[in-house]
Amino acid sequence: MKITRLAALAAASAFALLLLCAPLAPAVAQAARATVTGTVKDQSGAAVRDARVWLVNTQQAVMRSARSDSAGAFRFEGVQPGSYELRVARADFDSRRVPVRVAAGEAVDVPVTLEVNRFSERVTVTAETGQVMDRERVAQQVNVINESSIQQRATGVLAQVADEEVGVNLQRTSPTIGGIFVRGVTGNKVGVYVDGVRYTTSAQRGGINTFFNMNEPSSLRAVEILRGPNSAQYGSDSLGGTLHLISRTPGLGGATPEWHGELNTHFTSADLSYGGNTLLSYGSRRFGALFNLAGRRVNTLRAGGGVDRHSSVERFLGLPSSVLGTRLTDTAFTQYGGTVHLNYAPTVDQQFVFHYQRSQQDGGKRYDQTVGGDGNLISDLKNLMLDFMYGRYMKQGVGFFDNASATFSYNIQREERVNQGGRGNPFAAITHQPERTKVFGMSAYVDKQLTRHNTMLFGGDFYEERVRTRSTTVDPVANTSVFSRGRVPDGAHYTTSGVYAQDVLDAVPNHVRISGAVRYNWANYRSRSGNSPIVNGARLFPDDFLSARDVSGRLGVVVTPVESLNLFFNYSRGFRAPNITDLGTLGLVGNGFEVNATDAIALGGLVGTTADANARSSGRAVSLLRSENSNSYDGGFRFHTRRFDTDLTVFQNDIENAIGQSTLILPAGAAGRFLGDQRITTQLASGAVIVPLSTNPVLVRTNFGDARYRGLEYTLDARLTDTLLFGGNFTMIRAEDRANGLPPNIEGGVPPATGFL
């Protein structure tokens, strides 16, 4: 813990230093400021007057605001050196985002063309910390999903934004739970961030993302998906990719205060869902506020042709699913919440930001574990709640550095799972497993533009997490309740931290761009038996501890031989420390009952060859988990003109020490012994064991095998006329265990080849 405390102290000291330095910006910084001008035109070259123009920094804070005049011209004076996004909008055109790089003392002229029916969004603020870039000039592939696409796709849950995107796939485990596959992996191998703040927690499961859909789609300006590892920037869990949710923010800088509002509604016939949101924003020269209230009701889904091939009555009893009706039982839920975002700029070169979002889901059930899957009698998701907030201070011109940012965050994710398996026995025990994960975080960075073509950045972060799981088991016959072990140990504590450096160099201006980063990561896990209740004279879990350290990095190059063509190559080393779910899970999961490695070792457990009833002993003893790593290589080309846009990528991602589920094999005579509070009722000839909560053999997580993912991604967009577009994409992924060539033992499986037109 010593090093993490030092990291926390360093982050807090950096924040205090920023506050102290705020009024001390040297006079030389004032003298070195620049001017940004430009002209807004339409596709025919005519000037566009009265267009709103905002100069936005990389963390989406509006630094300047203006309107184009009768000649389409706009002008910003006294701009601090750095990387910016120029955002231009007028009601009768698609909005436009343009990257702008400003050097000390220079005058930058930015021509802007507004279009109707643009191909897609091209500007990313996610691929490199502190940089706004055209994605054509970024070595790593990134999907940028704009506001209108989010609204069109995410009518049920946020994860639907993955529809029609290259390199990613929608994962919807149950009506409420969903996530996104990135290059074939999902769950805790894909990091999630909101406005640069870590949203992923150490309690996240391996194959699903319980809380991803708690983010309200109508509160987002964009969703950016980095395809491939980027642990150098985002730390642990970014083995397959990173999802970055970018919130809508109020505008600042207008001479006259302005109010804006909108009302949106939606309806979908397949599940009879409906909902909408009401958004109100206010902006003045120094202060901006945005408020959004949203809600939706998703009703029972009707399967294609009214036939449900997942139905347990068809799988287990051979009956047609229609005996239960044409709509899918346990697929309805209600979701509602709101967002508050405030910006205050005491001076033109600094801002304070406060963001808070609250969301709740009611009535959710695990359809995949009841009539739509395992046939459990009860599998409820209750009280799914999210409270997420952050406060941020941003300053330009802090001593030697051009820009500095410090953020504090607080994240609480709550859920309660209620399960009754019992193989159809209505008198079987009912487990109640409430969980609350509370996260306190700090992060900061500073950057410096060393020359017109070289920018250095240094940053770090620290997140401390605690999980509360006061679980009980109810006997429905005697109507009695006793303490039981939750899915993970009550009071489990986890910290993840890191420091990193990033360099971006235009080695040959406009022709060769090189970017790289390196990061030192550390993570610590601890659970104490003293937090466990005593049941039958024994504590439900022992003392446990793990510490992980690693170095991750990336290096990419983009070569532009001619203006419209970019060739790129990117290498990334990813890192994922075993989290609380890996280390402490004991309980019912999507494909059975899982035990943690510590309990399995105590019983002399061996690793099974597979994660099902056909498993045999591998002869390898269960051991404590080690960190996962990945080495990813991808390359290809991008070709872009006004009427034609295409790119091709090939990639390979090698995941080493992959953590996956395997069947637990125990020595003969294990029947009657306990795994947590569950008595082993059956032991198969192979040594696999079964407990009352599941008909499947007990599982354990192990580092068992290395996986290789290879794939191809292709997109094509063509403008046939000014108002008619043709587009399509194709993704193919092949994955194998490097030892035997079989599909890898990694939760979530591998998506099939997909294409869209």
Side-chain angles (χ1 to χ4, degrees):
M1 288 297 297
K2 184 176 181 181
I3 191 168
T4 55
R5 287 172 181 163
L6 288 174
L9 179 61
S13 300
F15 186 81
L17 182 62
L18 289 178
L19 293 178
L20 291 173
C21 290
L24 303 178
V28 66
Q30 301 293 333
R33 295 192 175 190
T35 301
V36 176
T37 60
T39 304
V40 183
K41 297 182 178 181
D42 63 17
Q43 292 167 279
S44 67
V48 176
R49 66 174 301 170
D50 206 32
R52 293 297 306 270
V53 184
W54 297 273
L55 191 67
V56 185
N57 75 358
T58 59
Q59 294 181 313
Q60 300 301 287
V62 176
M63 310 306 293
R64 300 284 196 283
S65 176
R67 289 182 182 269
S68 60
D69 61 20
S70 58
F74 61 89
R75 184 180 185 89
F76 298 121
E77 299 278 3
V79 178
Q80 182 73 26
S83 181
Y84 298 92
E85 168 191 325
L86 192 71
R87 188 182 303 159
V88 185
R90 211 180 87 159
D92 43 352
F93 293 92
D94 288 346
S95 62
R96 181 76 188 274
R97 299 165 66 203
V98 180
V100 179
R101 187 168 183 171
V102 179
E106 75 172 350
V108 180
D109 187 71
V110 186
V112 179
T113 301
L114 292 182
E115 299 176 324
V116 177
N117 208 15
R118 295 185 65 228
F119 276 149
S120 61
E121 190 59 74
R122 311 200 63 80
V123 174
T124 173
V125 297
T126 296
E128 295 163 352
T129 303
Q131 298 290 305
V132 180
M133 289 299 302
D134 189 314
R135 64 182 184 181
E136 302 293 312
R137 298 275 289 153
V138 173
Q140 188 166 12
Q141 285 285 46
V142 55
N143 302 62
V144 183
I145 305 168
N146 61 24
E147 189 176 323
S148 61
S149 295
I150 294 172
Q151 292 178 354
Q152 292 168 13
R153 299 175 189 175
T155 56
V157 295
L158 177 60
Q160 291 171 311
V161 297
D163 282 338
E164 305 176 27
E165 291 292 318
V166 68
V168 301
N169 297 85
L170 168 65
Q171 176 210 37
R172 198 165 181 185
T173 305
S174 72
T176 61
I177 295 175
I180 295 177
F181 280 92
V182 182
R183 288 187 171 174
V185 298
T186 188
N188 58 22
K189 292 177 176 57
V190 175
V192 181
Y193 280 71
V194 176
D195 298 337
V197 177
R198 184 177 173 87
Y199 183 79
T200 297
T201 73
S202 61
Q204 182 169 313
R205 289 160 170 83
I208 61 176
N209 192 324
T210 306
F211 291 92
F212 181 75
N213 288 329
M214 299 296 284
N215 292 282
E216 171 54 41
S218 63
S219 293
L220 300 178
R221 181 177 300 281
V223 175
E224 297 194 11
I225 305 174
L226 284 175
R227 307 202 303 266
N230 197 337
S231 291
Q233 180 175 332
Y234 293 102
S236 183
D237 300 343
S238 182
L239 284 184
T242 307
L243 308 176
H244 199 161
L245 312 182
I246 300 171
S247 300
R248 299 179 66 174
T249 58
L252 292 180
T256 303
E258 295 185 8
W259 290 90
H260 296 275
E262 62 183 56
L263 175 67
N264 300 297
T265 61
H266 61 80
F267 170 78
T268 304
S269 61
D271 54 11
L272 301 179
S273 64
Y274 56 89
N277 75 288
T278 301
L279 185 145
L280 183 67
S281 68
Y282 168 83
S284 65
R285 185 178 297 278
R286 300 294 185 207
F287 179 74
L290 181 146
F291 306 92
N292 186 39
L293 292 176
R296 59 173 51 80
R297 171 64 183 176
V298 177
N299 289 302
T300 50
L301 177 69
R302 185 182 187 277
V307 178
D308 177 17
R309 297 300 183 190
H310 300 282
S311 175
S312 57
V313 299
E314 181 171 320
R315 293 168 56 217
F316 300 141
L317 304 178
L319 299 175
S321 64
S322 57
V323 300
L324 300 177
T326 59
R327 291 194 172 269
L328 309 186
T329 306
D330 293 347
T331 58
F333 69 95
T334 302
Q335 180 169 332
Y336 48 93
T339 300
V340 177
H341 192 103
L342 308 176
N343 287 60
Y344 171 61
T347 63
V348 295
D349 60 358
Q350 60 180 328
Q351 278 198 35
F352 292 89
V353 177
F354 173 79
H355 177 96
Y356 172 71
Q357 61 188 70
R358 162 82 175 182
S359 185
Q360 181 164 339
Q361 288 180 352
D362 293 334
K365 299 180 185 297
R366 285 296 299 272
Y367 160 78
D368 60 307
Q369 291 187 4
T370 57
V371 293
D374 297 338
N376 293 336
L377 298 179
I378 301 174
S379 187
D380 292 347
L381 281 173
K382 292 185 174 182
N383 302 318
L384 260 72
M385 291 183 282
L386 169 71
D387 289 279
F388 177 85
M389 63 163 287
Y390 66 82
R392 174 172 292 151
Y393 174 69
M394 295 171 286
K395 179 72 174 70
Q396 296 183 309
V398 179
F400 171 76
F401 296 101
D402 293 330
N403 298 279
S405 172
T407 305
F408 283 90
S409 61
Y410 198 58
N411 182 3
I412 302 178
Q413 300 177 357
R414 305 176 184 89
E415 64 172 305
E416 180 180 356
R417 301 197 178 213
V418 183
N419 287 284
Q420 184 184 36
R423 305 177 189 177
N425 177 14
F427 305 116
I430 302 173
T431 61
H432 292 258
Q433 295 184 329
E435 286 186 23
R436 184 191 67 186
T437 303
K438 184 184 296 185
V439 186
F440 168 75
M442 297 183 291
S443 61
Y445 76 80
V446 292
D447 68 32
K448 176 63 177 178
Q449 190 164 286
L450 300 176
T451 68
R452 178 67 178 85
H453 307 290
N454 185 208
T455 303
M456 285 288 297
L457 181 143
F458 303 93
D461 51 52
F462 171 84
Y463 294 91
E464 181 181 51
E465 309 180 24
R466 294 185 182 272
V467 181
R468 301 295 292 174
T469 59
R470 295 296 179 92
S471 301
T472 57
T473 298
V474 175
D475 184 334
V477 178
N479 196 27
T480 58
S481 175
V482 297
F483 285 114
S484 60
R485 171 169 169 163
R487 180 183 68 94
V488 297
D490 186 31
H493 178 267
Y494 196 90
T495 59
T496 178
S497 313
V499 292
Y500 64 96
Q502 173 184 284
D503 189 20
V504 178
L505 173 66
D506 282 329
V508 180
N510 300 320
H511 290 286
V512 180
R513 184 176 187 272
I514 302 172
S515 62
V518 62
R519 177 186 177 102
Y520 181 70
N521 308 276
W522 57 88
N524 291 299
Y525 164 76
R526 185 184 72 245
S527 67
R528 300 184 185 276
S529 63
N531 293 325
S532 168
I534 298 176
V535 178
N536 297 324
R539 296 196 179 272
L540 294 180
F541 52 85
D543 288 331
D544 200 3
F545 176 81
L546 179 135
S547 181
R549 307 285 186 270
D550 203 270
V551 176
S552 54
R554 60 177 172 82
L555 178 66
V557 59
V558 179
V559 178
T560 308
V562 294
E563 183 178 358
S564 300
L565 177 64
N566 292 280
L567 311 176
F568 65 91
F569 171 80
N570 187 68
Y571 164 76
S572 297
R573 175 176 168 80
F575 161 77
R576 193 180 83 82
N579 64 12
I580 290 179
T581 293
D582 297 319
L583 298 166
T585 292
L586 191 151
L588 194 65
V589 295
N591 52 346
F593 183 87
E594 185 176 323
V595 62
N596 70 336
T598 302
D599 290 345
I601 292 170
L603 295 177
L606 301 175
V607 177
T609 53
T610 59
D612 53 35
N614 298 319
R616 297 292 180 266
S617 173
S618 67
R620 175 180 164 186
V622 176
S623 60
L624 296 178
L625 293 175
R626 306 185 306 279
S627 298
E628 297 176 296
N629 294 103
S630 67
N631 290 285
S632 175
Y633 313 84
D634 58 306
F637 71 88
R638 307 178 183 115
F639 183 77
H640 172 66
T641 66
R642 181 178 174 273
R643 291 196 172 273
F644 188 76
D645 190 357
T646 187
D647 65 74
L648 173 69
T649 307
V650 293
F651 70 87
Q652 176 175 301
N653 189 13
D654 292 332
I655 299 179
E656 302 169 351
N657 299 320
I659 297 175
Q661 293 174 319
S662 296
T663 297
L664 174 64
I665 307 296
L666 293 181
R673 303 190 71 175
F674 279 86
L675 292 171
D677 59 349
Q678 290 293 301
R679 184 188 296 272
I680 297 173
T681 56
T682 305
Q683 185 170 27
L684 306 180
S686 63
V689 295
I690 296 174
V691 297
L693 279 183
S694 176
T695 59
N696 297 325
V698 171
L699 303 170
V700 64
R701 291 178 195 249
T702 62
N703 297 99
F704 192 54
D706 299 334
R708 170 165 288 173
Y709 289 77
R710 288 174 170 165
L712 177 147
E713 301 160 341
Y714 180 69
T715 62
L716 169 67
D717 289 290
R719 184 181 298 276
L720 304 182
T721 70
D722 284 345
T723 57
L724 180 62
L725 303 181
F726 171 84
N729 63 61
F730 176 73
T731 303
M732 181 180 68
I733 299 171
R734 294 289 181 265
E736 63 181 22
D737 187 307
R738 297 179 66 182
N740 53 33
L742 298 175
N745 182 22
I746 293 179
E747 287 185 83
V750 181
T754 55
F756 294 92
L757 289 178

